[in-house]
Amino acid sequence: MIGKIIGGLVGAQASKKVSSIGGTGGAILGAVAVPVIARMRLPTLLLLGAGGYLAKKLIDKNEEASGPGSAAADTGNSTGTP
């Protein structure tokens, strides 16, 4: 019971960072995720964690490449004309 409440709170907070999921949807997903994760075996949990870590690294790398250091920002000309 307490795990579902904590999962709901975490899901609601996480939904603030994702525009396609509202606060209520995130709370429901968080509450449903707790029993699903509790039934997983250790190798599955490890693979899930490693996949999440790699996904985060890729997202950070893509944001860094398209961030303020991109080619348009380096030239000082945002219109792309010489």
Side-chain angles (χ1 to χ4, degrees), residues 16-79:
K16 291 180 182 177
K17 297 186 184 280
V18 180
S19 61
S20 63
I21 300 174
T24 306
I28 292 171
L29 286 175
V32 169
V34 172
V36 170
I37 291 173
R39 286 178 174 76
M40 289 184 182
R41 296 184 184 263
L42 183 61
T44 307
L45 289 172
L46 292 174
L47 287 174
L48 187 64
Y53 176 77
L54 290 174
K56 174 73 171 139
K57 285 291 189 180
L58 287 173
I59 290 170
D60 288 346
K61 186 176 180 182
N62 287 340
E63 286 178 354
E64 183 179 298
S66 65
S70 65
D74 288 341
T75 61
N77 188 0
S78 61
T79 60

